[in-house]
Short mmCIF file of all heavy atoms in Angstrom, two decimals:
data_model
loop_
_atom_site.label_atom_id
_atom_site.label_comp_id
_atom_site.label_asym_id
_atom_site.label_seq_id
_atom_site.Cartn_x
_atom_site.Cartn_y
_atom_site.Cartn_z
N MET A 26 105.24 -150.32 90.33
CA MET A 26 106.32 -149.94 89.44
C MET A 26 106.17 -148.46 89.13
O MET A 26 105.14 -148.03 88.63
CB MET A 26 106.23 -150.77 88.16
CG MET A 26 107.09 -150.27 87.05
SD MET A 26 107.12 -151.30 85.58
CE MET A 26 105.45 -151.28 85.04
N THR A 27 107.16 -147.69 89.44
CA THR A 27 107.15 -146.26 89.15
C THR A 27 108.24 -145.96 88.14
O THR A 27 109.39 -146.34 88.33
CB THR A 27 107.39 -145.45 90.43
OG1 THR A 27 106.40 -145.80 91.38
CG2 THR A 27 107.31 -143.97 90.14
N LEU A 28 107.85 -145.31 87.06
CA LEU A 28 108.80 -144.94 86.02
C LEU A 28 109.03 -143.44 86.06
O LEU A 28 108.11 -142.67 86.32
CB LEU A 28 108.25 -145.31 84.64
CG LEU A 28 107.94 -146.77 84.37
CD1 LEU A 28 107.31 -146.92 83.00
CD2 LEU A 28 109.19 -147.62 84.45
N SER A 29 110.25 -143.02 85.76
CA SER A 29 110.50 -141.59 85.62
C SER A 29 109.82 -141.10 84.34
O SER A 29 109.48 -141.90 83.45
CB SER A 29 112.00 -141.32 85.56
OG SER A 29 112.54 -141.81 84.33
N ASN A 30 109.60 -139.81 84.25
CA ASN A 30 108.98 -139.25 83.05
C ASN A 30 109.79 -139.57 81.79
O ASN A 30 109.23 -139.89 80.75
CB ASN A 30 108.81 -137.74 83.18
CG ASN A 30 107.70 -137.37 84.14
OD1 ASN A 30 106.84 -138.19 84.45
ND2 ASN A 30 107.74 -136.15 84.62
N LYS A 31 111.11 -139.50 81.92
CA LYS A 31 111.98 -139.77 80.78
C LYS A 31 111.86 -141.22 80.32
O LYS A 31 111.75 -141.49 79.12
CB LYS A 31 113.43 -139.45 81.16
CG LYS A 31 114.41 -139.52 80.03
CD LYS A 31 115.79 -139.09 80.48
CE LYS A 31 116.76 -139.12 79.33
NZ LYS A 31 118.09 -138.68 79.71
N THR A 32 111.84 -142.14 81.28
CA THR A 32 111.70 -143.56 80.95
C THR A 32 110.34 -143.84 80.32
O THR A 32 110.24 -144.54 79.32
CB THR A 32 111.89 -144.42 82.21
OG1 THR A 32 113.17 -144.14 82.77
CG2 THR A 32 111.79 -145.90 81.89
N TYR A 33 109.29 -143.26 80.91
CA TYR A 33 107.94 -143.44 80.39
C TYR A 33 107.86 -142.93 78.95
O TYR A 33 107.33 -143.61 78.07
CB TYR A 33 106.93 -142.71 81.26
CG TYR A 33 105.54 -142.68 80.67
CD1 TYR A 33 104.69 -143.77 80.81
CD2 TYR A 33 105.09 -141.58 79.96
CE1 TYR A 33 103.42 -143.77 80.25
CE2 TYR A 33 103.82 -141.56 79.40
CZ TYR A 33 102.99 -142.66 79.55
OH TYR A 33 101.75 -142.64 78.99
N ASP A 34 108.37 -141.73 78.70
CA ASP A 34 108.33 -141.16 77.36
C ASP A 34 109.08 -142.03 76.36
O ASP A 34 108.63 -142.22 75.22
CB ASP A 34 108.90 -139.73 77.35
CG ASP A 34 108.00 -138.75 78.07
OD1 ASP A 34 106.80 -139.04 78.26
OD2 ASP A 34 108.50 -137.67 78.46
N PHE A 35 110.22 -142.57 76.78
CA PHE A 35 111.01 -143.43 75.89
C PHE A 35 110.25 -144.71 75.54
O PHE A 35 110.15 -145.09 74.38
CB PHE A 35 112.36 -143.78 76.53
CG PHE A 35 113.15 -144.77 75.73
CD1 PHE A 35 113.83 -144.37 74.58
CD2 PHE A 35 113.20 -146.10 76.10
CE1 PHE A 35 114.55 -145.29 73.82
CE2 PHE A 35 113.92 -147.03 75.36
CZ PHE A 35 114.59 -146.61 74.21
N ILE A 36 109.69 -145.36 76.56
CA ILE A 36 108.96 -146.61 76.33
C ILE A 36 107.72 -146.36 75.49
O ILE A 36 107.40 -147.13 74.58
CB ILE A 36 108.61 -147.28 77.67
CG1 ILE A 36 109.89 -147.76 78.35
CG2 ILE A 36 107.65 -148.45 77.47
CD1 ILE A 36 109.67 -148.30 79.75
N LYS A 37 107.04 -145.25 75.75
CA LYS A 37 105.84 -144.92 74.98
C LYS A 37 106.21 -144.69 73.51
O LYS A 37 105.55 -145.20 72.60
CB LYS A 37 105.17 -143.68 75.55
CG LYS A 37 103.90 -143.30 74.83
CD LYS A 37 103.26 -142.08 75.45
CE LYS A 37 102.04 -141.65 74.66
NZ LYS A 37 101.46 -140.42 75.19
N ALA A 38 107.26 -143.92 73.27
CA ALA A 38 107.70 -143.65 71.90
C ALA A 38 108.12 -144.95 71.20
O ALA A 38 107.79 -145.17 70.04
CB ALA A 38 108.85 -142.65 71.90
N LEU A 39 108.81 -145.81 71.93
CA LEU A 39 109.22 -147.09 71.37
C LEU A 39 108.00 -147.91 70.95
O LEU A 39 107.96 -148.48 69.86
CB LEU A 39 110.05 -147.87 72.39
CG LEU A 39 110.59 -149.22 71.96
CD1 LEU A 39 111.58 -149.06 70.81
CD2 LEU A 39 111.25 -149.91 73.14
N GLY A 40 107.00 -147.94 71.80
CA GLY A 40 105.78 -148.67 71.48
C GLY A 40 105.05 -148.10 70.27
O GLY A 40 104.52 -148.82 69.44
N LEU A 41 105.02 -146.77 70.18
CA LEU A 41 104.33 -146.13 69.06
C LEU A 41 105.08 -146.30 67.74
O LEU A 41 104.47 -146.35 66.68
CB LEU A 41 104.12 -144.65 69.36
CG LEU A 41 103.13 -144.34 70.48
CD1 LEU A 41 103.13 -142.84 70.80
CD2 LEU A 41 101.73 -144.80 70.13
N VAL A 42 106.38 -146.39 67.80
CA VAL A 42 107.18 -146.56 66.59
C VAL A 42 107.21 -148.03 66.18
O VAL A 42 107.25 -148.35 64.98
CB VAL A 42 108.62 -146.04 66.83
CG1 VAL A 42 109.55 -146.44 65.70
CG2 VAL A 42 108.61 -144.53 66.99
N ALA A 43 107.13 -148.93 67.14
CA ALA A 43 107.25 -150.36 66.85
C ALA A 43 106.13 -150.86 65.96
O ALA A 43 106.36 -151.72 65.11
CB ALA A 43 107.30 -151.15 68.15
N VAL A 44 104.93 -150.35 66.12
CA VAL A 44 103.80 -150.85 65.32
C VAL A 44 104.03 -150.62 63.82
O VAL A 44 103.91 -151.56 63.04
CB VAL A 44 102.47 -150.22 65.80
CG1 VAL A 44 101.33 -150.57 64.87
CG2 VAL A 44 102.15 -150.69 67.22
N PRO A 45 104.37 -149.41 63.39
CA PRO A 45 104.64 -149.25 61.96
C PRO A 45 105.85 -150.06 61.47
O PRO A 45 105.84 -150.57 60.35
CB PRO A 45 104.91 -147.75 61.80
CG PRO A 45 104.33 -147.11 62.99
CD PRO A 45 104.37 -148.13 64.08
N VAL A 46 106.86 -150.19 62.32
CA VAL A 46 108.03 -150.98 61.94
C VAL A 46 107.64 -152.45 61.75
O VAL A 46 108.06 -153.10 60.78
CB VAL A 46 109.16 -150.83 62.98
CG1 VAL A 46 110.26 -151.85 62.75
CG2 VAL A 46 109.72 -149.43 62.97
N ILE A 47 106.83 -152.97 62.65
CA ILE A 47 106.39 -154.37 62.53
C ILE A 47 105.56 -154.56 61.26
O ILE A 47 105.71 -155.55 60.55
CB ILE A 47 105.62 -154.80 63.79
CG1 ILE A 47 106.60 -154.90 64.96
CG2 ILE A 47 104.91 -156.13 63.57
CD1 ILE A 47 105.93 -155.07 66.31
N THR A 48 104.70 -153.59 60.96
CA THR A 48 103.90 -153.66 59.74
C THR A 48 104.81 -153.70 58.51
O THR A 48 104.61 -154.49 57.58
CB THR A 48 102.95 -152.46 59.65
OG1 THR A 48 102.13 -152.44 60.82
CG2 THR A 48 102.08 -152.53 58.42
N PHE A 49 105.84 -152.87 58.51
CA PHE A 49 106.82 -152.86 57.43
C PHE A 49 107.51 -154.22 57.32
O PHE A 49 107.67 -154.77 56.21
CB PHE A 49 107.85 -151.75 57.68
CG PHE A 49 109.03 -151.81 56.77
CD1 PHE A 49 108.94 -151.35 55.46
CD2 PHE A 49 110.24 -152.31 57.21
CE1 PHE A 49 110.03 -151.41 54.61
CE2 PHE A 49 111.34 -152.37 56.37
CZ PHE A 49 111.23 -151.92 55.07
N LEU A 50 107.91 -154.77 58.46
CA LEU A 50 108.61 -156.06 58.45
C LEU A 50 107.73 -157.19 57.91
O LEU A 50 108.21 -158.07 57.21
CB LEU A 50 109.12 -156.41 59.84
CG LEU A 50 110.30 -155.57 60.34
CD1 LEU A 50 110.63 -155.92 61.78
CD2 LEU A 50 111.51 -155.76 59.45
N VAL A 51 106.45 -157.16 58.26
CA VAL A 51 105.53 -158.18 57.74
C VAL A 51 105.53 -158.14 56.22
O VAL A 51 105.60 -159.18 55.56
CB VAL A 51 104.10 -157.96 58.30
CG1 VAL A 51 103.08 -158.80 57.55
CG2 VAL A 51 104.06 -158.28 59.79
N ALA A 52 105.46 -156.93 55.67
CA ALA A 52 105.46 -156.80 54.21
C ALA A 52 106.75 -157.31 53.61
O ALA A 52 106.74 -158.08 52.63
CB ALA A 52 105.23 -155.34 53.82
N ILE A 53 107.89 -156.91 54.16
CA ILE A 53 109.20 -157.32 53.63
C ILE A 53 109.40 -158.83 53.74
O ILE A 53 109.88 -159.48 52.81
CB ILE A 53 110.33 -156.57 54.35
CG1 ILE A 53 110.24 -155.07 54.07
CG2 ILE A 53 111.70 -157.11 53.98
CD1 ILE A 53 110.33 -154.70 52.61
N VAL A 54 109.03 -159.40 54.89
CA VAL A 54 109.19 -160.84 55.10
C VAL A 54 108.38 -161.61 54.06
O VAL A 54 108.86 -162.60 53.50
CB VAL A 54 108.77 -161.21 56.54
CG1 VAL A 54 108.52 -162.70 56.67
CG2 VAL A 54 109.84 -160.77 57.52
N ASN A 55 107.16 -161.15 53.79
CA ASN A 55 106.32 -161.86 52.82
C ASN A 55 106.81 -161.66 51.39
O ASN A 55 106.77 -162.59 50.59
CB ASN A 55 104.87 -161.41 52.96
CG ASN A 55 104.24 -161.96 54.23
OD1 ASN A 55 104.56 -163.04 54.67
ND2 ASN A 55 103.35 -161.19 54.82
N ILE A 56 107.29 -160.48 51.08
CA ILE A 56 107.79 -160.22 49.72
C ILE A 56 109.04 -161.04 49.43
O ILE A 56 109.16 -161.66 48.38
CB ILE A 56 108.08 -158.71 49.53
CG1 ILE A 56 106.76 -157.92 49.53
CG2 ILE A 56 108.87 -158.46 48.25
CD1 ILE A 56 106.94 -156.42 49.63
N TRP A 57 109.98 -161.05 50.37
CA TRP A 57 111.27 -161.70 50.15
C TRP A 57 111.32 -163.13 50.68
O TRP A 57 112.36 -163.79 50.56
CB TRP A 57 112.39 -160.87 50.77
CG TRP A 57 112.58 -159.58 50.04
CD1 TRP A 57 112.08 -158.37 50.39
CD2 TRP A 57 113.27 -159.39 48.82
NE1 TRP A 57 112.43 -157.43 49.47
CE2 TRP A 57 113.17 -158.02 48.48
CE3 TRP A 57 113.98 -160.23 47.96
CZ2 TRP A 57 113.74 -157.49 47.34
CZ3 TRP A 57 114.56 -159.69 46.82
CH2 TRP A 57 114.43 -158.34 46.52
N GLN A 58 110.27 -163.58 51.28
CA GLN A 58 110.19 -164.94 51.83
C GLN A 58 111.41 -165.27 52.70
O GLN A 58 112.11 -166.27 52.50
CB GLN A 58 110.02 -165.97 50.72
CG GLN A 58 108.75 -165.74 49.93
CD GLN A 58 108.62 -166.65 48.72
OE1 GLN A 58 109.55 -167.35 48.35
NE2 GLN A 58 107.45 -166.62 48.09
N ILE A 59 111.65 -164.41 53.67
CA ILE A 59 112.79 -164.54 54.58
C ILE A 59 112.55 -165.74 55.51
O ILE A 59 111.46 -165.89 56.07
CB ILE A 59 112.97 -163.25 55.40
CG1 ILE A 59 113.34 -162.11 54.45
CG2 ILE A 59 114.03 -163.41 56.48
CD1 ILE A 59 113.35 -160.75 55.09
N PRO A 60 113.55 -166.61 55.68
CA PRO A 60 113.38 -167.76 56.58
C PRO A 60 113.10 -167.31 58.01
O PRO A 60 113.71 -166.36 58.50
CB PRO A 60 114.73 -168.49 56.52
CG PRO A 60 115.45 -167.92 55.35
CD PRO A 60 114.86 -166.59 55.06
N TYR A 61 112.16 -167.97 58.65
CA TYR A 61 111.75 -167.67 60.02
C TYR A 61 111.21 -166.25 60.17
O TYR A 61 111.13 -165.72 61.27
CB TYR A 61 112.89 -167.91 61.02
CG TYR A 61 113.42 -169.31 60.99
CD1 TYR A 61 114.64 -169.59 60.38
CD2 TYR A 61 112.69 -170.36 61.54
CE1 TYR A 61 115.12 -170.89 60.33
CE2 TYR A 61 113.16 -171.65 61.49
CZ TYR A 61 114.38 -171.91 60.89
OH TYR A 61 114.85 -173.21 60.84
N GLY A 62 110.85 -165.64 59.06
CA GLY A 62 110.35 -164.27 59.10
C GLY A 62 109.08 -164.13 59.93
O GLY A 62 108.94 -163.17 60.70
N ASP A 63 108.18 -165.08 59.78
CA ASP A 63 106.93 -165.01 60.56
C ASP A 63 107.22 -165.08 62.05
O ASP A 63 106.59 -164.37 62.84
CB ASP A 63 105.99 -166.14 60.15
CG ASP A 63 105.43 -165.95 58.75
OD1 ASP A 63 105.43 -164.79 58.25
OD2 ASP A 63 104.99 -166.95 58.15
N GLN A 64 108.16 -165.92 62.46
CA GLN A 64 108.50 -166.04 63.87
C GLN A 64 109.14 -164.75 64.39
O GLN A 64 108.87 -164.32 65.51
CB GLN A 64 109.45 -167.23 64.11
CG GLN A 64 108.80 -168.57 63.90
CD GLN A 64 108.85 -169.05 62.44
OE1 GLN A 64 109.10 -168.29 61.52
NE2 GLN A 64 108.63 -170.34 62.24
N ILE A 65 110.00 -164.15 63.58
CA ILE A 65 110.65 -162.91 63.98
C ILE A 65 109.61 -161.80 64.15
O ILE A 65 109.61 -161.09 65.16
CB ILE A 65 111.72 -162.50 62.94
CG1 ILE A 65 112.87 -163.50 62.94
CG2 ILE A 65 112.23 -161.09 63.20
CD1 ILE A 65 113.81 -163.36 61.75
N VAL A 66 108.73 -161.66 63.19
CA VAL A 66 107.71 -160.62 63.25
C VAL A 66 106.76 -160.86 64.42
O VAL A 66 106.41 -159.93 65.15
CB VAL A 66 106.94 -160.54 61.91
CG1 VAL A 66 105.74 -159.63 62.03
CG2 VAL A 66 107.87 -160.07 60.80
N ALA A 67 106.37 -162.11 64.65
CA ALA A 67 105.48 -162.41 65.77
C ALA A 67 106.14 -162.10 67.11
O ALA A 67 105.49 -161.58 68.03
CB ALA A 67 105.06 -163.88 65.72
N THR A 68 107.43 -162.37 67.21
CA THR A 68 108.16 -162.06 68.44
C THR A 68 108.21 -160.55 68.67
O THR A 68 107.97 -160.07 69.79
CB THR A 68 109.60 -162.62 68.38
OG1 THR A 68 109.52 -164.04 68.19
CG2 THR A 68 110.37 -162.30 69.63
N LEU A 69 108.50 -159.79 67.62
CA LEU A 69 108.52 -158.33 67.75
C LEU A 69 107.14 -157.78 68.12
O LEU A 69 107.03 -156.86 68.93
CB LEU A 69 109.02 -157.69 66.46
CG LEU A 69 110.48 -157.96 66.12
CD1 LEU A 69 110.81 -157.40 64.73
CD2 LEU A 69 111.39 -157.35 67.17
N ALA A 70 106.10 -158.35 67.55
CA ALA A 70 104.75 -157.91 67.88
C ALA A 70 104.43 -158.21 69.34
O ALA A 70 103.81 -157.39 70.04
CB ALA A 70 103.73 -158.59 66.97
N ALA A 71 104.86 -159.37 69.84
CA ALA A 71 104.63 -159.72 71.24
C ALA A 71 105.37 -158.76 72.17
O ALA A 71 104.84 -158.33 73.20
CB ALA A 71 105.07 -161.15 71.50
N VAL A 72 106.59 -158.39 71.81
CA VAL A 72 107.35 -157.42 72.60
C VAL A 72 106.62 -156.07 72.60
O VAL A 72 106.53 -155.40 73.64
CB VAL A 72 108.79 -157.28 72.06
CG1 VAL A 72 109.51 -156.09 72.68
CG2 VAL A 72 109.57 -158.56 72.30
N ASP A 73 106.07 -155.67 71.47
CA ASP A 73 105.34 -154.41 71.40
C ASP A 73 104.10 -154.44 72.29
O ASP A 73 103.78 -153.45 72.95
CB ASP A 73 104.95 -154.09 69.96
CG ASP A 73 104.39 -152.69 69.83
OD1 ASP A 73 104.98 -151.76 70.41
OD2 ASP A 73 103.36 -152.53 69.16
N VAL A 74 103.41 -155.57 72.35
CA VAL A 74 102.25 -155.70 73.24
C VAL A 74 102.69 -155.55 74.69
O VAL A 74 102.03 -154.87 75.49
CB VAL A 74 101.54 -157.05 73.00
CG1 VAL A 74 100.51 -157.32 74.08
CG2 VAL A 74 100.89 -157.07 71.63
N LEU A 75 103.82 -156.15 75.04
CA LEU A 75 104.35 -156.03 76.40
C LEU A 75 104.67 -154.57 76.72
O LEU A 75 104.34 -154.07 77.80
CB LEU A 75 105.59 -156.90 76.57
CG LEU A 75 106.28 -156.81 77.93
CD1 LEU A 75 105.35 -157.27 79.04
CD2 LEU A 75 107.56 -157.62 77.92
N ILE A 76 105.29 -153.87 75.78
CA ILE A 76 105.60 -152.46 75.98
C ILE A 76 104.32 -151.66 76.19
O ILE A 76 104.24 -150.80 77.08
CB ILE A 76 106.41 -151.90 74.79
CG1 ILE A 76 107.82 -152.48 74.80
CG2 ILE A 76 106.46 -150.38 74.81
CD1 ILE A 76 108.62 -152.19 73.54
N GLY A 77 103.30 -151.95 75.41
CA GLY A 77 102.02 -151.27 75.56
C GLY A 77 101.42 -151.51 76.94
O GLY A 77 100.86 -150.59 77.55
N ALA A 78 101.54 -152.73 77.45
CA ALA A 78 101.02 -153.03 78.78
C ALA A 78 101.79 -152.27 79.86
O ALA A 78 101.19 -151.73 80.79
CB ALA A 78 101.11 -154.54 79.04
N ILE A 79 103.10 -152.20 79.72
CA ILE A 79 103.92 -151.46 80.70
C ILE A 79 103.54 -149.99 80.70
O ILE A 79 103.37 -149.38 81.77
CB ILE A 79 105.42 -151.65 80.40
CG1 ILE A 79 105.84 -153.10 80.69
CG2 ILE A 79 106.27 -150.67 81.21
CD1 ILE A 79 107.22 -153.45 80.19
N VAL A 80 103.37 -149.40 79.53
CA VAL A 80 103.00 -147.99 79.43
C VAL A 80 101.62 -147.76 80.05
O VAL A 80 101.41 -146.78 80.78
CB VAL A 80 103.03 -147.51 77.96
CG1 VAL A 80 102.38 -146.15 77.80
CG2 VAL A 80 104.46 -147.47 77.46
N THR A 81 100.69 -148.65 79.79
CA THR A 81 99.34 -148.50 80.32
C THR A 81 99.33 -148.58 81.85
O THR A 81 98.68 -147.76 82.51
CB THR A 81 98.42 -149.59 79.73
OG1 THR A 81 98.41 -149.45 78.31
CG2 THR A 81 97.01 -149.47 80.26
N VAL A 82 100.05 -149.53 82.41
CA VAL A 82 100.12 -149.66 83.87
C VAL A 82 100.79 -148.43 84.47
O VAL A 82 100.31 -147.87 85.47
CB VAL A 82 100.87 -150.95 84.27
CG1 VAL A 82 101.20 -150.97 85.75
CG2 VAL A 82 100.04 -152.17 83.89
N ALA A 83 101.90 -148.00 83.90
CA ALA A 83 102.62 -146.84 84.42
C ALA A 83 101.75 -145.58 84.36
O ALA A 83 101.73 -144.79 85.30
CB ALA A 83 103.92 -146.62 83.65
N LYS A 84 101.02 -145.40 83.28
CA LYS A 84 100.15 -144.24 83.13
C LYS A 84 99.03 -144.28 84.17
O LYS A 84 98.70 -143.26 84.78
CB LYS A 84 99.56 -144.21 81.72
CG LYS A 84 98.55 -143.12 81.46
CD LYS A 84 99.21 -141.77 81.34
CE LYS A 84 98.22 -140.76 80.79
NZ LYS A 84 97.99 -139.65 81.68
N GLY A 85 98.44 -145.45 84.40
CA GLY A 85 97.40 -145.58 85.40
C GLY A 85 97.89 -145.25 86.79
O GLY A 85 97.22 -144.55 87.56
N GLN A 86 99.09 -145.73 87.14
CA GLN A 86 99.66 -145.43 88.45
C GLN A 86 99.95 -143.94 88.59
O GLN A 86 99.70 -143.35 89.63
CB GLN A 86 100.94 -146.25 88.66
CG GLN A 86 100.68 -147.71 88.86
CD GLN A 86 101.94 -148.53 89.01
OE1 GLN A 86 103.04 -148.05 88.68
NE2 GLN A 86 101.81 -149.75 89.49
N TYR A 87 100.46 -143.34 87.55
CA TYR A 87 100.76 -141.91 87.57
C TYR A 87 99.48 -141.10 87.76
O TYR A 87 99.43 -140.18 88.57
CB TYR A 87 101.47 -141.51 86.28
CG TYR A 87 101.75 -140.03 86.19
CD1 TYR A 87 102.85 -139.47 86.83
CD2 TYR A 87 100.92 -139.17 85.47
CE1 TYR A 87 103.12 -138.12 86.76
CE2 TYR A 87 101.18 -137.83 85.39
CZ TYR A 87 102.28 -137.30 86.03
OH TYR A 87 102.52 -135.96 85.97
N ASP A 88 98.44 -141.46 87.02
CA ASP A 88 97.17 -140.74 87.12
C ASP A 88 96.57 -140.86 88.52
O ASP A 88 96.05 -139.89 89.06
CB ASP A 88 96.17 -141.25 86.08
CG ASP A 88 96.54 -140.83 84.66
OD1 ASP A 88 97.39 -139.92 84.50
OD2 ASP A 88 95.97 -141.41 83.71
N ARG A 89 96.63 -142.06 89.11
CA ARG A 89 96.10 -142.24 90.47
C ARG A 89 96.91 -141.41 91.47
O ARG A 89 96.35 -140.81 92.38
CB ARG A 89 96.12 -143.71 90.86
CG ARG A 89 94.98 -144.51 90.24
CD ARG A 89 94.85 -145.89 90.85
NE ARG A 89 96.02 -146.72 90.66
CZ ARG A 89 96.30 -147.39 89.55
NH1 ARG A 89 95.51 -147.32 88.50
NH2 ARG A 89 97.39 -148.13 89.47
N LYS A 90 98.22 -141.39 91.29
CA LYS A 90 99.08 -140.62 92.18
C LYS A 90 98.75 -139.13 92.07
O LYS A 90 98.62 -138.44 93.08
CB LYS A 90 100.55 -140.86 91.83
CG LYS A 90 101.54 -140.13 92.69
CD LYS A 90 102.96 -140.46 92.27
CE LYS A 90 103.97 -139.60 92.98
NZ LYS A 90 105.33 -139.84 92.49
N GLU A 91 98.59 -138.63 90.87
CA GLU A 91 98.25 -137.23 90.66
C GLU A 91 96.88 -136.90 91.25
O GLU A 91 96.69 -135.85 91.83
CB GLU A 91 98.27 -136.88 89.17
CG GLU A 91 99.66 -136.82 88.58
CD GLU A 91 100.51 -135.73 89.20
OE1 GLU A 91 100.06 -134.58 89.26
OE2 GLU A 91 101.64 -136.05 89.64
N LYS A 92 95.92 -137.81 91.12
CA LYS A 92 94.58 -137.59 91.66
C LYS A 92 94.65 -137.52 93.18
O LYS A 92 94.00 -136.67 93.79
CB LYS A 92 93.63 -138.70 91.22
CG LYS A 92 92.20 -138.46 91.65
CD LYS A 92 91.29 -139.52 91.10
CE LYS A 92 89.83 -139.27 91.38
NZ LYS A 92 89.49 -138.94 92.72
N ASN A 93 95.45 -138.38 93.82
CA ASN A 93 95.59 -138.36 95.26
C ASN A 93 96.21 -137.06 95.74
O ASN A 93 95.82 -136.52 96.76
CB ASN A 93 96.42 -139.55 95.75
CG ASN A 93 95.66 -140.86 95.67
OD1 ASN A 93 94.43 -140.87 95.63
ND2 ASN A 93 96.38 -141.96 95.61
N ILE A 94 97.16 -136.54 95.00
CA ILE A 94 97.80 -135.26 95.35
C ILE A 94 96.78 -134.15 95.26
O ILE A 94 96.70 -133.30 96.14
CB ILE A 94 99.04 -135.00 94.46
CG1 ILE A 94 100.15 -135.98 94.81
CG2 ILE A 94 99.52 -133.56 94.63
CD1 ILE A 94 101.33 -135.95 93.85
N GLU A 95 95.98 -134.14 94.20
CA GLU A 95 94.96 -133.11 94.03
C GLU A 95 93.90 -133.20 95.13
O GLU A 95 93.42 -132.19 95.62
CB GLU A 95 94.29 -133.23 92.67
CG GLU A 95 95.19 -132.84 91.52
CD GLU A 95 94.56 -133.11 90.16
OE1 GLU A 95 93.38 -133.52 90.10
OE2 GLU A 95 95.26 -132.93 89.15
N ASP A 96 93.52 -134.42 95.53
CA ASP A 96 92.51 -134.61 96.56
C ASP A 96 92.99 -134.13 97.92
O ASP A 96 92.19 -133.74 98.77
CB ASP A 96 92.11 -136.09 96.67
CG ASP A 96 91.33 -136.56 95.46
OD1 ASP A 96 90.85 -135.70 94.68
OD2 ASP A 96 91.20 -137.79 95.27
N GLN A 97 94.29 -134.12 98.14
CA GLN A 97 94.83 -133.71 99.43
C GLN A 97 95.09 -132.21 99.52
O GLN A 97 95.46 -131.71 100.55
CB GLN A 97 96.13 -134.47 99.71
CG GLN A 97 95.92 -135.96 99.87
CD GLN A 97 97.23 -136.72 99.99
OE1 GLN A 97 98.29 -136.12 100.03
NE2 GLN A 97 97.13 -138.04 100.05
N THR A 98 94.91 -131.50 98.43
CA THR A 98 95.15 -130.06 98.42
C THR A 98 93.95 -129.36 99.06
O THR A 98 92.81 -129.59 98.71
CB THR A 98 95.33 -129.55 96.98
OG1 THR A 98 96.39 -130.29 96.37
CG2 THR A 98 95.65 -128.07 96.96
N TYR A 99 94.25 -128.49 100.01
CA TYR A 99 93.19 -127.75 100.72
C TYR A 99 93.18 -126.31 100.21
O TYR A 99 94.22 -125.67 100.10
CB TYR A 99 93.44 -127.78 102.22
CG TYR A 99 93.44 -129.17 102.78
CD1 TYR A 99 94.62 -129.78 103.13
CD2 TYR A 99 92.24 -129.88 102.91
CE1 TYR A 99 94.63 -131.08 103.63
CE2 TYR A 99 92.25 -131.17 103.39
CZ TYR A 99 93.44 -131.76 103.76
OH TYR A 99 93.44 -133.03 104.24
N TYR A 100 91.99 -125.82 99.94
CA TYR A 100 91.88 -124.46 99.42
C TYR A 100 91.38 -123.54 100.49
O TYR A 100 90.58 -123.68 101.24
CB TYR A 100 90.94 -124.43 98.21
CG TYR A 100 91.49 -125.22 97.05
CD1 TYR A 100 91.06 -126.51 96.78
CD2 TYR A 100 92.45 -124.67 96.24
CE1 TYR A 100 91.57 -127.23 95.72
CE2 TYR A 100 92.97 -125.38 95.17
CZ TYR A 100 92.52 -126.65 94.93
OH TYR A 100 93.03 -127.35 93.87
#
């Protein structure tokens, strides 16, 4: 899976923003006792974990690709 820089940056930012948002939602759900709030928050947290995995895999592939390019450069 190869992501463009723009896509990678968007997904990474989404993942980084999602954690504080989920923390906020946990607090609100518990304060207001929103029905199915725990399920909603757990689902959002699971999506955030998936986003983190996608970013990690994409970053690893990018780093390996960059390393291969550097290894092929002759001085």
Side-chain angles (χ1 to χ4, degrees):
M26 167 175 62
T27 303
L28 300 175
S29 70
N30 287 341
K31 187 176 182 178
T32 302
Y33 172 81
D34 290 341
F35 174 77
I36 292 173
K37 182 179 176 184
L39 182 64
L41 292 173
V42 169
V44 172
V46 168
I47 290 169
T48 303
F49 170 78
L50 289 175
V51 167
I53 296 301
V54 163
N55 288 327
I56 291 168
W57 292 98
Q58 300 174 351
I59 296 172
Y61 302 104
D63 291 339
Q64 291 87 343
I65 293 167
V66 171
T68 301
L69 293 173
V72 169
D73 189 45
V74 169
L75 177 62
I76 289 170
I79 291 169
V80 168
T81 301
V82 168
K84 175 74 168 120
Q86 289 177 345
Y87 177 81
D88 288 346
R89 282 191 299 279
K90 181 179 172 185
E91 288 297 309
K92 185 175 185 312
N93 287 339
I94 290 171
E95 290 174 5
D96 290 345
Q97 295 174 4
T98 304
Y99 299 105
Y100 295 100

